[in-house]
Amino acid sequence: MRYPLEPEPEALRALTDEVARFVVEHVASLTDQPASDLEGVDSVRAGLVGPVSEMGSPLSVLLDELRPAIAKSFNTAGPGYLAFIPGGGVYAAALGDFIACAVNRYVGVRQAAPALVQIEETALRWLADLMGYPEAARGILTSGGSLSNLSAIVRARVARLPEGDLQRGILYVSAETHRCVAKAARLAGFPVRNVRVVDVDARFRMRPDALETEIRADHARGLHPFLVVPSVGTTNTGAIDPLPEILDVARRHGLWTHADAAYGGFFRLAEGGEALMPRLPECDSITLDPHKGLFLPYGTGCLLVRDGKALLRAHADHADYLQDVVGEEPGFNDLSPELSRDFRGLRLWLPIRLHGLRPFRDALTEKLALTRRAFEELRTDGRFEILDEPQLSILAFRLKGDGEATDARNAELLRRVNARGRVFLSSTRMAGRYVLRICVLSFRTHEDRLRDAIAALREEATALGA
Ligand SMILES: *Cc1c(COP(=O)(O)O)cnc(C)c1O
């Protein structure tokens, strides 16, 4: 089989139709697919190892190879996926990616495609508006929250630390902050010891009084506190750190406040959502993950910076070989570590234009309501202990009891519930104890699936003698 690198239009259409059939069939069956299925994945993997071939293969053969590789995985796009932080995969985003890759225009510098850059900037402006940011705000789309947080740390460093003062620069997180923040600090050149872990309260929120005590102590040691990273939705329980008090402390001591809202930020779009994260618009920068709360495909993260000039200061540079494309207005290359990049803005712009915001708002409101109902259900079942009333769409719980035997029983409960294949939950450890989590964030998850999850937990708890 030989496909030329530039097939005739007729052949292009046939290839595209074949892929469209493959994808639509998959998406249409998502609800019936198991929530996770890794049985026999090793042999599927083994079949995918091999040397490169000089000859091409029919597309149908390749799609047949792909099908089991997709099937043998966590069904992260399905309605039963309640583990970790679910994504989604709104279909229109795939169409946006398809167009972006097929036309392959260059958006790394503004002058190469000013109107396409505008599309991405407009989409970023929408996100800034949704977070309550002023006109001067700027943003970039990243591959995810981890890289957004890395970029944020670099920006805060440029804004608040004298150049080269990495050894004395101190940043503040809590024990519930996502680990990627500490990792990013290390990657950005800060010693591990410079990341302070501030105490949390009974609801797993950073304590502003403890933050201030730590900052004062560090100042007294001659160190340079420069950044605090409150979470808007922690990974374990969905806790929202008290932004108003943290902002007050940060201002008193000249710190940059970066809100890690990767998981929780888009709940601002839900009914009553703004009240859940008061004064978010006053934070110096915000990490968002559209591949979480906007249900887009993985690889869609975002960093917003309140003062757009700070973004520019941290990243702008000059190269002689780019002299033909230097303009008045900065492009994405001036605002981010990247130069060449995909046109990822279309993945955001197309779904929002196609559907409008309303369905996104409604879906987020639904996720909050579903989580609340799951909470009510488990709370009235005396066998379960709930770690905290949900602040967003995560419910953390465990079978009551202490010690290793209870941990093991909870692990077995998770194994049994997941083995049923209808839902897929994950676990964590908090205060040294094994904890189960339900995170409701897929736009495909509705009440029926939540009821299945609760029923499975109850029945398997009974089977375990609880
Ligand atoms: C998911 C998440 C991250 C990491 O984002 P990635 O997109 O996985 O890189 C960071 N912080 C929080 C709060 C998250 O929920």
Side-chain angles (χ1 to χ4, degrees):
M1 191 87 187
R2 256 182 228 281
Y3 289 108
L5 290 182
E6 187 75 287
E8 294 293 324
E10 210 34 56
L12 281 185
R13 221 166 279 130
L15 290 169
T16 310
D17 287 348
E18 202 172 341
V19 169
R21 269 196 304 279
F22 174 85
V23 168
V24 169
E25 191 181 293
H26 174 81
V27 171
S29 71
L30 272 174
T31 310
D32 302 320
Q33 294 171 20
S36 99
D37 178 12
L38 291 175
E39 211 179 304
V41 70
D42 289 342
S43 71
V44 176
R45 261 188 77 180
L48 290 164
V49 177
V52 66
S53 164
E54 291 296 328
M55 295 292 287
S57 312
L59 180 61
S60 58
V61 169
L62 304 181
L63 294 179
D64 286 344
E65 280 186 36
L66 204 46
R67 206 171 274 116
I70 295 169
K72 296 296 168 184
S73 59
F74 297 174
N75 184 358
T76 43
Y81 193 73
L82 306 169
F84 310 103
I85 310 268
V90 163
Y91 190 67
L95 299 177
D97 265 17
F98 178 66
I99 295 170
C101 292
V103 305
N104 196 34
R105 287 297 195 259
Y106 195 85
V107 295
V109 296
R110 177 182 301 276
Q111 285 69 22
L116 296 181
V117 168
Q118 184 60 57
I119 284 179
E120 188 162 323
E121 284 184 329
T122 297
L124 282 161
R125 184 66 244 164
W126 295 337
L127 300 191
D129 286 342
L130 291 171
M131 295 304 128
Y133 259 8
E135 269 311 305
R138 288 286 177 278
I140 50 164
L141 294 179
T142 66
S143 62
S146 302
L147 283 196
S148 304
N149 284 337
L150 173 59
S151 258
I153 288 173
V154 171
R155 276 149 234 255
R157 187 198 76 205
V158 172
R160 299 291 158 92
L161 262 190
E163 194 163 8
D165 210 358
L166 292 173
Q167 292 299 317
R168 293 196 309 135
I170 306 290
L171 58 153
Y172 302 82
V173 301
S174 85
E176 296 295 318
T177 304
H178 197 284
R179 283 299 303 170
C180 75
V181 175
K183 178 176 165 184
R186 212 170 62 221
L187 292 175
F190 292 96
V192 174
R193 63 172 186 279
N194 288 21
V195 180
R196 297 279 182 269
V197 180
V198 178
D199 285 344
V200 293
D201 65 16
R203 301 198 67 194
F204 310 105
R205 300 171 299 198
M206 183 187 284
R207 277 179 41 202
D209 60 318
L211 170 66
E212 183 147 38
T213 304
E214 298 248 10
I215 292 173
R216 287 189 197 285
D218 284 323
H219 273 306
R221 291 184 192 112
L223 298 171
H224 195 146
F226 78 102
L227 167 67
V228 58
V229 184
S231 303
V232 177
T234 58
T235 312
N236 279 338
T237 65
I240 302 172
D241 290 334
L243 299 176
E245 292 78 9
I246 289 173
L247 277 162
D248 288 343
V249 172
R251 283 193 188 147
R252 267 201 294 282
H253 298 280
L255 273 67
W256 181 282
T257 304
H258 172 66
D260 184 359
Y263 152 64
F266 285 111
F267 281 106
R268 237 178 100 92
L269 279 70
E271 222 172 277
E274 288 186 21
L276 294 173
M277 44 199 93
R279 290 180 65 188
L280 178 68
E282 292 178 46
C283 293
D284 295 293
S285 51
I286 305 174
T287 283
L288 295 171
D289 255 347
H291 65 208
K292 292 175 180 163
L294 273 188
F295 321 124
L296 297 188
Y298 295 121
T300 322
C302 173
L303 175 68
L304 298 173
V305 178
R306 197 167 192 283
D307 170 14
K309 287 196 291 296
L311 206 57
L312 194 58
R313 272 197 298 277
H315 289 94
D317 200 12
H318 169 78
D320 292 333
Y321 46 78
L322 290 179
Q323 65 182 359
D324 303 334
V325 287
V326 173
E328 294 286 295
E329 285 180 88
F332 296 129
N333 62 316
D334 298 307
L335 301 173
S336 87
E338 292 175 295
L339 179 55
S340 298
R341 69 207 272 297
D342 54 330
F343 177 26
R344 57 188 78 122
L346 205 52
R347 185 193 293 177
L348 187 59
W349 184 87
L350 191 70
I352 295 178
R353 287 298 304 273
L354 188 73
H355 301 293
L357 263 191
R358 194 73 249 171
F360 291 94
R361 290 188 190 279
D362 292 346
L364 287 160
T365 302
E366 181 197 20
K367 301 313 126 188
L368 293 177
L370 288 175
T371 313
R372 181 134 282 278
R373 203 159 324 146
F375 165 63
E376 301 293 350
E377 294 268 342
L378 279 194
R379 184 169 63 163
T380 52
D381 187 325
R383 296 170 298 178
F384 293 97
E385 167 191 347
I386 315 278
L387 274 91
D388 184 32
E389 183 178 338
Q391 298 178 43
L392 289 169
S393 72
I394 296 173
L395 185 61
F397 59 96
R398 68 199 300 269
L399 285 171
K400 282 179 180 164
D402 284 308
E404 272 176 37
T406 306
D407 282 356
R409 220 148 58 105
N410 274 289
E412 176 60 13
L413 176 63
L414 178 70
R415 197 192 62 74
R416 287 177 178 223
V417 167
N418 285 349
R420 291 175 162 216
R422 276 293 280 177
V423 296
F424 189 68
L425 316 183
S426 64
S427 71
T428 184
R429 294 194 77 85
M430 297 184 71
R433 302 191 312 163
Y434 188 99
V435 172
L436 279 71
R437 287 168 74 258
I438 289 178
C439 179
V440 192
L441 199 62
S442 170
F443 68 103
R444 296 188 169 110
T445 302
H446 303 298
E447 191 180 348
D448 59 329
R449 202 58 70 126
L450 250 289
R451 257 194 264 119
D452 289 352
I454 300 299
L457 283 164
R458 286 195 161 139
E459 287 165 23
E460 296 298 344
T462 302
L464 279 168

